[in-house]
Amino acid sequence: EPQSRGDQASAARERQWVSLFDPPVDLQEAKYAKKLKGLCREGIPDSCRGCAWTRMTGADKMKQKGVYQNLLAGNHIPAFNAIEKDISRCFPEHALFHEPNGEGQSNLRNVLRAYAVFNPEVGYCQGMGMIAGTMLMYMPPEDAFWLLAAVLGSPKYLLGHHEVSLARLRADAVVFSELLGTKSRKLAKHLAVNEVQPLIYLPQWFLTLFTVSLPWGSVLRIWDMFLCEGIKALFRVALATMLRSQNHILARCPTAGDIMHHLLHLPPEQFPPDQLVADTLRVRLKGRTLQQLRAQSAAAVRAADA
């Protein structure tokens, strides 16, 4: 049977990834950056995702023998109680996690407990379960633990976002507000008049890496870009999401309640994967600009908290 064009394209994409894995190359080397960015924006083939995510983030280099098992052998800590409450709320519809105390839930519990012991400053924060759950769909628990550690421990990704003070998230909300104002003054004004601050919707988007906000196909494409390019990709996706919502919000959301309902329950049909990625790539944002804005905002939050 002749392959369709789509099948041929995805088989070709898969071959490109396999060529990077075998023999394995260091995907964090600068010389692969441009190629990787292009491949990740097209979407990583599902069969290659686990390996690609692990290699791009350097989680494979962090892995040390016996550490995960030792972390699980430790004593009960208070964070475990919060983890327990959330286990059944993570992907209840997914075959991997729907069985109470089944293998999926048990793996999720272990990954989150190990991380809480590994990084007591963060411990556990809502949202982490959805991130770890997504990782477990693509890799064994020990690998998911190291990927979680790489993503939550690096300034390129989500370092500081899940800390109790939420200082990093508060600082990024200010930055997002500024950026939105430069992309659409009309929308920014409508939100400001209704007192809908980014801190109302951004935590749901950033702390779960969009897993509870967008259709699954779009979520995976966002992860592919984010784990390759870092936090800048999240800002661009969030801005693209706002710009895609602009007409609906301006025409149909006169009150704060209407706006919040829309932003916290985004209609999936309005965010198909290819369209959202195309819109995201149209959002112009220089890495250096974002870096400066984030540094200034973080300093201001620190000063205010002092």
Side-chain angles (χ1 to χ4, degrees), residues 21-35:
F21 298 155
D22 189 24
V25 300
D26 183 351
L27 294 186
Q28 290 190 301
E29 274 186 33
K31 66 179 174 184
Y32 297 109
K34 199 173 177 187
K35 181 179 183 177

Side-chain angles (χ1 to χ4, degrees), residues 117-299:
V117 177
F118 175 75
N119 186 351
E121 262 183 53
V122 171
Y124 173 75
C125 166
Q126 264 192 333
M128 282 164 55
M130 299 302 289
I131 295 176
T134 304
M135 293 168 177
L136 283 167
M137 293 175 199
Y138 287 93
M139 62 195 72
E142 188 174 355
D143 291 348
F145 163 76
W146 288 110
L147 181 56
L148 186 67
V151 170
L152 299 189
S154 166
K156 179 178 176 179
Y157 301 115
L158 290 180
L159 177 67
H161 279 87
H162 293 82
E163 284 175 7
V164 182
S165 71
L166 293 183
R168 177 81 265 176
L169 190 66
R170 279 154 46 214
D172 278 348
V174 174
V175 172
F176 186 75
S177 202
E178 249 177 87
L179 291 172
L180 185 63
T182 66
K183 302 297 174 196
S184 171
R185 286 172 67 178
K186 211 173 182 180
L187 180 59
K189 189 179 174 190
H190 183 59
L191 295 176
V193 165
N194 282 286
E195 296 184 355
V196 175
Q197 311 293 345
L199 262 184
I200 291 169
Y201 53 87
L202 221 51
Q204 191 202 68
W205 295 359
F206 277 24
L207 296 185
T208 70
L209 290 178
F210 286 98
T211 47
V212 295
S213 310
L214 289 169
W216 195 242
S218 301
V219 169
L220 294 173
R221 296 286 296 278
I222 290 166
W223 275 54
D224 293 345
M225 291 193 295
F226 167 66
L227 295 177
C228 175
E229 301 175 45
I231 191 86
K232 180 176 136 177
L234 279 196
F235 275 92
R236 289 175 87 185
V237 169
L239 288 165
T241 299
M242 292 303 271
L243 296 172
R244 268 192 89 67
S245 302
Q246 172 169 285
N247 291 345
H248 177 86
I249 290 174
L250 292 175
R252 305 213 179 142
C253 300
T255 70
D258 297 327
I259 299 168
M260 288 191 287
H261 186 269
H262 176 79
L263 293 176
L264 295 173
H265 306 90
L266 295 166
E269 68 282 357
Q270 287 179 24
F271 299 91
D274 288 337
Q275 191 59 60
L276 181 61
V277 170
D279 285 359
T280 296
L281 297 179
R282 273 197 291 271
V283 173
R284 293 272 158 257
L285 178 59
K286 282 199 163 66
R288 191 173 294 171
T289 307
L290 181 62
Q291 221 175 342
Q292 287 169 344
L293 288 172
R294 292 184 82 218
Q296 288 162 3
S297 186

